[in-house]
Amino acid sequence: QKEVEQDPGPLSVPEGAIVSLNCTYSNSAFQYFMWYRQYSRKGPELLMYTYSSGNKEDGRFTAQVDKSSKYISLFIRDSQPSDSATYLCAMSLRSNTGKLIFGQGTTLQVKP
Amino acid sequence: DTAVSQTPKYLVTQMGNDKSIKCEQNLGHDTMYWYKQDSKKFLKIMFSYNNKELIINETVPNRFSPKSPDKAHLNLHINSLELGDSAVYFCASSQGGEAFFGQGTRLTVV
C-alpha cells in the first residue's frame, strides 16, 4: 500500500464547475499538507499549505485536512480552463528538513 | 527573478555517459532537495541537504552523487547513465515545510 493515494483521473469538468480533489494517507504522523499544481512540462507550483487539521481558503481554492480520517481535499470553485493541470497532494512529517511524500497526481481538464 | 533555477532544461545523452545537473536557489532557504518524476508523473525524493549537509539519502543507486558547495547550490552528478534513468529531475528548496520547485531537467538516455 502506498503511503499517499490519489485518484489519477483524468477528471474532466465544464467551466464554472466545482472541482473536488482528494488524497488519503496511511501515516497518522503526517503534520504538514500541501497541494501543488503542475502544468505540462513545468515544475510543481505550490497552491496551498496547511498544518494539521482544518480548512484554509485562498481565492477560489479551499484546502481541507481531516486527520482523524487521514483524508485531505482541495476544492476549486468556478473552475476555469486555466485550471487545467495535474494536481499533486503532498505531505510531510515535519517542517524544513522533512521529505515530501507525494500522491500520484490527478489530471484535471476544464472545458470551456 | 527565478527562485529555484536548474540547468540544463533538457539533456539527451547516450548510455554509459556521465552528466551533471546544476541547481541554484535565491530564496535564502537552508534545505534543498532532488526529486525524480517518472513517466507517470510520480514524484519521489532522492536526496535532501540542509546547510550543505546530506540529511536524506533515499534508496538511490550510488551512480547518483549530489554535491552542495554552499547552501544556495545543489548539484547532481550521474555516472554511467542507464536507460532507466530517463525522467524529469526537479530541484527544490524549503524553509519551514512547503517546498518550492525548479522547472525541471528532462533527461533522456538513448
Side-chain angles (χ1 to χ4, degrees):
Chain A
Q1 183 191 7
K2 290 181 179 174
E3 277 192 280
V4 180
E5 297 276 0
Q6 184 177 4
D7 186 343
L11 181 62
S12 183
V13 301
E15 184 176 353
I18 296 173
V19 177
S20 171
L21 304 166
N22 311 295
C23 287
T24 58
Y25 60 95
S26 57
N27 190 343
S28 57
F30 284 135
Q31 296 280 358
Y32 299 88
F33 304 91
M34 286 137 274
W35 285 95
Y36 285 85
R37 177 176 62 196
Q38 186 175 21
Y39 291 115
S40 181
R41 299 197 170 247
K42 298 289 186 185
E45 170 196 6
L46 181 67
L47 274 180
M48 302 289 278
Y49 170 68
T50 52
Y51 169 70
S52 198
S53 283
N55 294 357
K56 185 173 183 179
E57 190 174 318
D58 184 1
R60 296 183 296 109
F61 299 90
T62 299
Q64 286 185 352
V65 175
D66 182 348
K67 289 192 73 179
S68 62
S69 302
K70 297 183 198 157
Y71 188 88
I72 69 170
S73 300
L74 177 71
F75 296 96
I76 308 174
R77 289 185 299 281
D78 187 25
S79 56
Q80 303 294 308
S82 58
D83 295 328
S84 298
T86 297
Y87 290 80
L88 300 148
C89 65
M91 42 202 82
S92 68
L93 296 174
R94 60 187 187 277
S95 66
N96 200 17
T97 57
K99 65 181 181 182
L100 296 181
I101 308 296
F102 281 86
Q104 302 97 302
T106 300
T107 300
L108 170 68
Q109 184 182 25
V110 181
K111 294 183 176 179
Chain B
D1 198 19
T2 306
V4 182
S5 58
Q6 299 176 225
T7 53
K9 193 172 179 181
Y10 298 96
L11 190 50
V12 181
T13 187
Q14 290 188 324
M15 276 195 310
N17 283 351
D18 303 340
K19 289 293 177 186
S20 291
I21 307 171
K22 294 186 176 183
C23 179
E24 176 182 1
Q25 55 98 0
N26 62 7
L27 297 167
H29 290 168
D30 286 336
T31 307
M32 295 185 72
Y33 309 83
W34 280 110
Y35 281 83
K36 179 180 179 181
Q37 188 170 46
D38 62 23
S39 57
K40 294 184 179 179
K41 295 217 161 187
F42 185 62
L43 263 170
K44 189 170 182 204
I45 192 166
M46 300 173 70
F47 301 103
S48 173
Y49 270 76
N50 182 258
N51 261 321
K52 302 192 298 176
E53 184 182 341
L54 180 65
I55 54 170
I56 293 174
N57 184 348
E58 292 292 293
T59 312
V60 178
N62 57 16
R63 297 182 295 104
F64 290 79
S65 53
K67 279 192 173 51
S68 181
D70 55 62
K71 76 172 194 176
H73 295 85
L74 179 62
N75 304 322
L76 182 65
H77 188 75
I78 315 169
N79 290 327
S80 303
L81 278 154
E82 299 177 358
L83 292 176
D85 297 332
S86 296
V88 183
Y89 293 84
F90 286 100
C91 176
S93 73
S94 74
Q95 186 84 12
E98 70 268 49
F100 296 86
F101 286 78
Q103 292 297 290
T105 296
R106 186 171 294 271
L107 172 65
T108 304
V109 183
V110 297

